[in-house]
């Protein structure tokens, strides 16, 4: 039984306090930490350097009551057992790569097959299961990782930073930057499951996505390379709509995916940082707006979620307990010539920023 020392305050800057405490030990005995970034009002987020994971976001509702709107676990043990990527940094390649292989510079690279014949979220050596180094800088926590050439089958020694910040206007910013010593593919995202009511399911949340185009996928969730217009379909969120309204319709895509698990092409492709989604919960009036520098948003209504460990709520998580808003390049881009290129060239810097702005809409 590990005793958890209380948070010790290590930085205090411009009303934002950053605290750190032990979160547990990995199976090989490596100590892992929990970081809490607290603002003056008492709202806070928590992060761990295991998987550069977003653990919690404790924010006010319409009455000023604080509660946690992210699914996660109380201790490291939950994250060690987790298979649903709760709050994790996903990489080197978020979502699927068909047939677990790609060709780059005329060489074919074989990846882990961890999802039938395909690779999902980078196979068995994904970043979600890595212990990152960390550094605290002003109101930020910077997680760093070295991923060696060949890890999970991907080429190039990769150096990666994932920087989280939390600002007084309740905005969480995740900034990713990376460099490789060989050309490689890189597509990072965060896999937080949001539930703005803090319990139950997300079916009564409403969702807006500034997009009218979605990727078509096959029965194994691999893009076919085609796009489809969402007009007059259950996938249309171009005006705010309750997530539960159409989710159980008799539609093959919805049945296969147990709900939403679909990638949208965001409007305003040329904007540096574009609007990606607005999630709203009508009883608490909590709202989450997402902005990103990436071209796509994959929404996942967590139809396959069945956690083996009890979460922070004391129960195991079941389908629809949370909703993922994953900003990224398109799935399977390495095998899809018509998709935006996501090669990280040797010597170039990968940059990606996503902002999650919480507020109360009255
Ligand atoms: C994927 C789902 C998958 C889930 C957990 C999501 O990002 O789109 O297909 O079941 O992650 O791996």
């Amino acid at each position: 039984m590990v005793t958890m020392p209380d948070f010790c305050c290590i930085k205090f800057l411009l009303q934002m306090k950053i605290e750190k405490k032990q979160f547990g030990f990995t199976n090989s005995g490596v100590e892992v930490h929990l970081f809490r970034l607290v603002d003056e009002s008492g709202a806070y987020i928590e992060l761990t350097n295991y998987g550069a994971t977003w653990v919690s976001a404790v924010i006010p509702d319409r009455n000023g009551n604080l509660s946690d709107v992210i699914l996660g676990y109380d201790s490291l043990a939950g994250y060690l057992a987790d298979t649903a990527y709760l709050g994790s940094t996903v990489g080197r390649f978020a979502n699927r790569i068909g047939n677990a292989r790609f060709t780059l510079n005329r060489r074919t690279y074989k990846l882990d097959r961890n999802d039938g014949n395909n690779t999902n979220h980078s196979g068995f050596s994904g970043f979600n299961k890595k212990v990152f180094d960390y550094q605290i800088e002003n109101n930020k926590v910077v997680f760093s990782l070295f991923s060696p050439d060949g890890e999970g089958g991907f080429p190039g020694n990769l150096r990666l930073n994932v920087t989280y910040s939390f600002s007084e206007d309740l905005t969480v910013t995740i900034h990713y930057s990376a460099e490789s010593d060989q050309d490689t593919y890189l597509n990072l995202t965060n896999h937080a499951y949001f539930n703005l009511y803090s319990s139950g399911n997300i079916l009564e949340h409403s969702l807006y996505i500034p997009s009218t185009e979605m990727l078509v996928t096959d029965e194994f969730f691999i893009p076919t390379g085609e796009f489809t217009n969402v007009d007059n379909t259950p996938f249309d969120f171009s005006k705010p709509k309750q997530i539960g309204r159409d989710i159980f319709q008799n539609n093959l895509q919805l049945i296969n995916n147990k709900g939403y698990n679909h990638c949208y092409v965001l409007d305003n492709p040329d904007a540096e940082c574009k609007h990606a989604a607005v999630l709203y919960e009508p009883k608490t009036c909590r709202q989450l707006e997402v902005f990103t520098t990436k071209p796509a948003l994959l929404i996942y209504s967590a139809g396959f979620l069945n956690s083996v460990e009890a979460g922070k709520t004391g129960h195991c998580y079941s389908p629809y307990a949370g909703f993922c808003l994953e900003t990224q390049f398109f799935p399977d881009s390495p095998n899809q010539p018509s998709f935006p290129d996501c090669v990280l060239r040797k010597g170039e810097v990968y940059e990606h920023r996503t902002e999650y702005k919480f507020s109360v809409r009255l």
Side-chain angles (χ1 to χ4, degrees):
M1 171 81 182
V2 179
T3 53
M4 302 272 272
D6 284 332
F7 274 111
C8 63
C9 172
I10 49 176
K11 285 268 162 103
F12 196 111
L13 192 108
L14 298 172
Q15 284 87 41
M16 183 63 64
K17 203 166 45 163
I18 303 190
E19 305 165 333
K20 184 185 108 179
K21 73 173 185 179
Q22 186 194 95
F23 199 36
F25 287 85
T26 64
N27 296 334
S28 55
V30 180
E31 187 177 6
V32 168
H33 303 283
L34 185 71
F35 302 85
R36 183 180 285 184
L37 286 67
V38 194
D39 86 354
E40 219 185 8
S41 72
Y44 65 86
I45 64 165
E46 288 175 317
L47 313 167
T48 173
N49 59 320
Y50 185 75
T53 298
W54 187 359
V55 174
S56 60
V58 175
I59 55 139
D61 67 5
R62 59 186 301 173
N63 300 313
N65 296 323
L66 295 171
S67 64
D68 194 352
V69 298
I70 301 247
L71 272 46
Y73 304 102
D74 280 329
S75 73
L76 181 64
Y79 289 96
L80 296 177
D82 175 69
T83 55
Y85 304 84
L86 263 60
S88 313
T89 294
V90 182
R92 292 189 186 197
F93 199 93
N95 212 271
R96 293 181 175 77
I97 297 187
N99 214 10
R101 64 175 62 204
F102 60 77
T103 300
L104 178 61
N105 298 338
R106 290 185 295 281
R107 187 171 154 195
T108 296
Y109 295 89
K110 290 190 185 159
L111 312 173
D112 298 335
R113 290 179 195 267
N114 67 331
D115 193 62
N117 275 336
N118 307 312
T119 305
N120 185 29
H121 297 328
S122 317
F124 303 116
S125 48
F127 295 161
N128 57 308
K129 295 289 177 191
K130 303 285 183 202
V131 178
F132 285 60
D133 290 332
Y134 64 88
Q135 205 170 335
I136 292 165
E137 289 177 4
N138 302 331
N139 67 335
K140 298 175 178 163
V141 181
V142 184
F143 295 120
S144 313
L145 187 74
F146 172 71
S147 169
D149 180 27
E151 189 168 59
F154 290 86
N157 288 303
L158 185 87
R159 288 183 193 280
L160 162 74
N161 282 347
V162 182
T163 303
Y164 285 86
S165 64
F166 184 42
S167 58
E168 290 298 322
D169 66 350
L170 301 182
T171 301
V172 177
T173 302
I174 309 181
H175 179 256
Y176 308 81
S177 66
E179 279 182 85
S180 168
D181 64 359
Q182 288 177 49
D183 292 357
T184 191
Y185 281 111
L186 192 64
N187 180 25
L188 304 171
T189 195
N190 180 277
H191 209 285
Y193 292 73
F194 299 98
N195 181 326
L196 301 180
Y197 190 66
S198 304
S199 65
N201 64 49
I202 46 70
L203 298 174
E204 287 178 17
H205 287 46
S206 90
L207 177 67
Y208 162 68
I209 305 174
S211 164
T212 49
E213 260 196 318
M214 191 179 88
L215 270 59
V216 178
T217 48
D218 68 14
E219 70 266 45
F220 303 109
F221 321 119
I222 303 295
T224 60
E226 296 154 314
F227 298 88
T228 182
N229 191 294
V230 295
D231 233 16
N232 293 318
T233 73
F235 302 96
D236 188 359
F237 289 98
S238 65
K239 292 181 204 65
K241 182 177 77 173
Q242 204 180 62
I243 293 170
R245 197 185 87 179
D246 297 330
I247 197 171
F248 300 118
Q249 274 196 16
N250 189 14
N251 170 295
L252 196 57
Q253 278 284 333
L254 289 171
I255 294 166
N256 262 346
N257 287 279
K258 298 194 180 194
Y260 295 106
N261 185 17
H262 295 87
C263 186
Y264 289 75
V265 183
L266 293 171
D267 288 351
N268 298 316
D270 299 329
E272 193 260 333
C273 192
K274 51 194 131 339
H275 214 185
V278 182
L279 188 67
Y280 175 70
E281 198 291 308
K283 293 200 249 353
T284 58
C285 296
R286 286 195 180 103
Q287 173 173 280
L288 167 62
E289 283 176 275
V290 181
F291 301 87
T292 187
T293 57
K294 283 287 161 254
L297 176 77
L298 192 138
I299 61 168
Y300 175 50
S301 56
F304 297 96
L305 179 63
N306 272 306
S307 72
V308 287
E309 292 273 319
K312 287 179 283 186
T313 52
H315 329 119
C316 289
Y317 292 120
S318 33
Y320 317 115
F323 196 84
C324 299
L325 297 162
E326 304 167 42
T327 55
Q328 54 189 254
F329 282 116
F330 301 169
D332 198 35
S333 299
N335 295 312
Q336 302 283 351
S338 65
F339 288 0
D341 182 21
C342 64
V343 179
L344 173 63
R345 299 270 169 214
K346 174 184 173 176
E348 283 180 2
V349 181
Y350 173 100
E351 298 269 9
H352 165 183
R353 188 171 87 250
T354 296
E355 295 170 12
Y356 306 84
K357 183 171 170 36
F358 295 100
S359 58
V360 168
R361 193 215 293 169
L362 291 174

